[in-house]
Amino acid sequence: MNKTLLYITVLVIATCGLIYELVVGALASYLLGDSITQFSTVIGGYLFAMGIGSYLSRYIERGVAQRFVEVELAVALLGGLCAPLLFLTFTLTSLFQVALYGSVIAIGTLVGLEIPLLLRILKDQLKFKDLVSQVLSLDYLGALAASVAFPLLLVPKLGLVRTSLLFGILNAGVGLWSTWLLAPLLGNPLRLRVKAVVLTVFLLAGFALGDRLTTFYEDQLYADDVVHASSSPYQRIILTRGKRGFSLFLNGNLQFASIDEYRYHESLVHPAMVRAGKVERVLILGGGDGLAAREVLRHPEVRSVTLVDLDPAITGLATSFNELVKLNRHSMTDPKMRVLNTDAMRFLAEGDEQYDVVVVDFPDPNNFALGKLYTTGFYKLLKKRLAPDGVAVVQSTSPLFARRSFWCVEQTLKAAGFWTQPYHALVPSFGEWGYVLVAHEAPARHRALPEGLQFLDESTLDSLTQFPPDMGPVPAEVNRLNNQVLVHYYEEEWRRWN
């Protein structure tokens, strides 16, 4: 028996096992939102199921090697098909959560069987202490490889469907080569080899059709035709086209619809621009689609615009997708623009240049990675980079649908030492949407609105700060890095509307 190949087997099955867990967690988060709950329940359920599998291994007393190969083939089938079947269940039935947690339990139980069975196969080859240390070390190493490769390589390059199919193929390969590694322990290896080959061919066919499968599922998920779909290390990017023009979705969440995005972006940018003492140096955090930059560049006094967006896939799309380039009026290639793909918090912390206007246009705080950009720590960094007579504005979710979340953002900005002015505007694609204007002290009005706006005029601008009773202030805690209360508020409130 070749121990080296058996150790490689341990490494492969450990990597595959964690990949299936990550695929299911990411898919659940993508389709259902509420990433904290989805990943927590998927990981917890998966580990619990692995414990069940480990316990059940004690009842396998005969034919351990054959059971091990059969388990590998079963994992290959269920794990490899988990993403396509879950997408299909979501689009065609109302039983998605049953299928989700059923697959978690089934795959987890089978994965939990693997290592105990393999340990029993190897028990006559090594001393117990060497057996346990080497097998478990390789198991953990495989988990590390999976956790690094999944966000950096697999999802951006392959997507969820082809990733699950690829690792199903690897598991089937483990089952196939195990029929030779363990041949002396198998009663009838030929039958197992035939099953492994048939399964491998089946999964390879699925992998070859993976892009078509993904396109089919996403066509069912969106009301309009999908005209662009890609994955980056940070998010799934979808552009659709329909009667309302075209729309951008990130991880399933609408970012804008071209038919009414002008309402959102005019309201985001111009209230800050007309109140800042100067508007020569402007910083945009987020806004990689170039639409906020388009509004900033309407002001002829602007000399430079620095745009910081983490994802180069978004800023690249803003210069390559023709309809978006037309919509943002080539703002991303304007000579005044400087585009940086880096983390906004790091950018603020590492520099000292101050800006006359800062436009903060991040996605809503639906996970901890985004929630950190709405904390007192982030806003204190922002305050240091805002010129003495400068004005900043923060996109702050809906004061109607997520009322406590909106006022939490406002309270957090106050806690960071800002003067604040909350306001809102109706954007039909989103509903009532909220913003908070901030400065070192209450700013005066310094300039008129630029010409050519579709939504804002002087009377509309003055009305934005008026809140009806159902959107007025409510008590909310300050969002800090060590509590991220805003993420909990946000998930709780938006869950009522989904």
Side-chain angles (χ1 to χ4, degrees):
M1 187 183 301
N2 191 315
K3 288 185 286 186
T4 300
L5 287 179
L6 281 169
Y7 289 147
I8 294 174
T9 297
V10 174
L11 187 64
V12 172
I13 64 177
T15 305
C16 292
L18 187 59
I19 289 293
Y20 301 138
E21 181 180 357
L22 293 172
V23 165
V24 174
L27 192 148
S29 178
Y30 173 49
L31 295 176
L32 300 178
D34 193 3
S35 60
I36 298 172
T37 299
Q38 305 312 325
F39 268 103
S40 295
T41 54
V42 166
I43 291 171
Y46 195 85
L47 292 174
F48 172 72
M50 287 178 65
I52 294 175
S54 296
Y55 180 79
L56 292 177
S57 68
R58 66 186 296 180
Y59 296 105
I60 299 175
E61 297 181 356
R62 297 180 180 178
V64 174
Q66 180 167 335
R67 298 289 90 79
F68 173 76
V69 175
E70 291 170 345
V71 165
E72 287 308 300
L73 299 182
V75 172
L77 180 64
L78 293 180
L81 295 179
C82 66
L85 289 180
L86 286 173
F87 267 121
L88 189 65
T89 304
F90 185 84
T91 56
L92 299 182
T93 77
S94 59
L95 300 175
F96 176 73
Q97 290 189 314
V98 174
L100 173 70
Y101 293 108
S103 65
V104 167
I105 296 301
I107 297 170
T109 300
L110 290 169
V111 171
L113 283 165
E114 291 174 319
I115 296 301
L117 293 180
L118 197 56
L119 286 171
R120 288 166 62 182
I121 292 169
L122 288 169
K123 65 181 175 61
D124 296 328
Q125 307 295 316
L126 295 169
K127 294 180 180 179
F128 179 75
K129 65 176 183 177
D130 295 330
L131 173 64
V132 172
S133 65
Q134 292 182 30
V135 169
L136 293 184
S137 295
L138 290 167
D139 186 46
Y140 297 142
L141 181 61
L144 173 64
S147 64
V148 172
F150 184 76
L152 299 181
L153 179 63
L154 297 171
V155 173
K157 300 297 183 183
L158 298 179
L160 294 177
V161 169
R162 295 181 77 195
T163 293
S164 73
L165 288 164
L166 173 63
F167 282 84
I169 293 167
L170 289 178
N171 259 134
V174 168
L176 182 58
W177 83 48
S178 294
T179 61
W180 276 277
L181 286 175
L182 306 176
L185 305 176
L186 296 172
N188 186 1
L190 181 59
R191 181 179 297 178
L192 291 173
R193 287 170 190 165
V194 171
K195 290 180 180 179
V197 169
V198 170
L199 179 57
T200 301
V201 171
F202 174 69
L203 293 172
L204 281 169
F207 183 82
L209 297 172
D211 287 341
R212 294 184 184 180
L213 291 172
T214 302
T215 299
F216 169 77
Y217 301 138
E218 290 181 333
D219 283 343
Q220 309 308 309
L221 290 175
Y222 297 98
D224 297 330
D225 294 337
V226 175
V227 295
H228 172 87
S230 62
S231 296
S232 76
Y234 309 105
Q235 55 208 343
R236 181 69 174 167
I237 303 164
I238 300 291
L239 278 167
T240 65
R241 185 187 295 117
K243 294 180 180 179
R244 300 188 307 162
F246 71 98
S247 302
L248 172 66
F249 295 84
L250 300 180
N251 290 341
N253 299 309
L254 178 66
Q255 302 304 300
F256 71 78
S258 62
I259 194 170
D260 60 9
E261 58 77 22
Y262 66 89
R263 278 181 162 253
Y264 172 88
H265 290 101
E266 288 182 12
S267 301
L268 173 70
V269 170
H270 297 299
M273 296 292 286
V274 301
R275 287 175 174 83
K278 295 184 297 183
V279 294
E280 294 178 0
R281 296 163 300 169
V282 178
L283 172 65
I284 302 174
L285 301 176
D289 50 36
L291 299 175
R294 177 197 67 199
E295 297 303 318
V296 167
L297 292 168
R298 288 181 184 271
H299 294 262
E301 308 100 307
V302 172
R303 292 186 179 180
S304 68
V305 182
T306 300
L307 187 147
V308 179
D309 192 293
L310 181 63
D311 195 346
I314 295 295
T315 54
L317 198 65
T319 61
S320 62
F321 187 76
N322 289 335
E323 288 175 279
L324 182 52
V325 172
K326 182 178 178 181
L327 190 65
N328 67 33
R329 297 182 185 174
H330 300 270
S331 63
M332 298 294 281
T333 54
D334 189 282
K336 297 178 181 180
M337 288 291 296
R338 178 174 67 131
V339 177
L340 301 175
N341 295 119
T342 188
D343 180 82
M345 181 172 273
R346 179 179 299 174
F347 172 82
L348 292 180
E350 293 179 351
D352 55 11
E353 181 180 0
Q354 292 191 323
Y355 296 90
D356 302 316
V357 176
V358 181
V359 178
V360 183
D361 190 20
F362 296 134
D364 279 4
N366 55 21
N367 59 56
F368 288 129
L370 289 168
K372 75 173 186 178
L373 304 176
Y374 290 80
T375 60
T376 51
F378 181 84
Y379 293 145
K380 287 177 180 178
L381 292 173
L382 174 63
K383 193 169 186 286
K384 293 179 181 178
R385 303 297 294 274
L386 188 64
D389 59 350
V391 177
V393 61
V394 178
Q395 182 285 115
S396 306
T397 195
S398 171
L400 178 61
F401 301 126
R403 186 177 178 184
R404 189 160 56 155
S405 300
F406 174 81
W407 292 104
C408 173
V409 174
E410 195 264 349
Q411 288 297 312
T412 303
L413 285 160
K414 276 187 175 178
F418 281 115
W419 168 89
T420 64
Q421 175 63 74
Y423 65 99
H424 66 97
L426 176 63
V427 183
S429 293
F430 296 114
E432 288 289 346
W433 212 255
Y435 316 82
V436 181
L437 202 68
V438 301
H440 296 288
E441 56 185 30
R445 179 73 176 271
H446 290 280
R447 60 190 54 80
L449 291 166
E451 296 181 358
L453 301 184
Q454 300 179 70
F455 172 57
L456 284 185
D457 57 21
E458 297 299 332
S459 60
T460 305
L461 183 62
D462 292 338
S463 71
L464 298 185
T465 58
Q466 303 301 313
F467 283 81
D470 63 346
M471 295 193 295
V474 292
E477 292 183 48
V478 172
N479 189 44
R480 304 183 190 279
L481 198 57
N482 67 339
N483 67 12
Q484 294 265 15
V485 67
L486 175 60
V487 177
H488 299 290
Y489 287 161
Y490 182 89
E491 291 184 343
E492 177 185 342
E493 291 180 308
W494 278 102
R495 192 182 299 124
R496 297 200 302 263
W497 300 92
N498 294 328

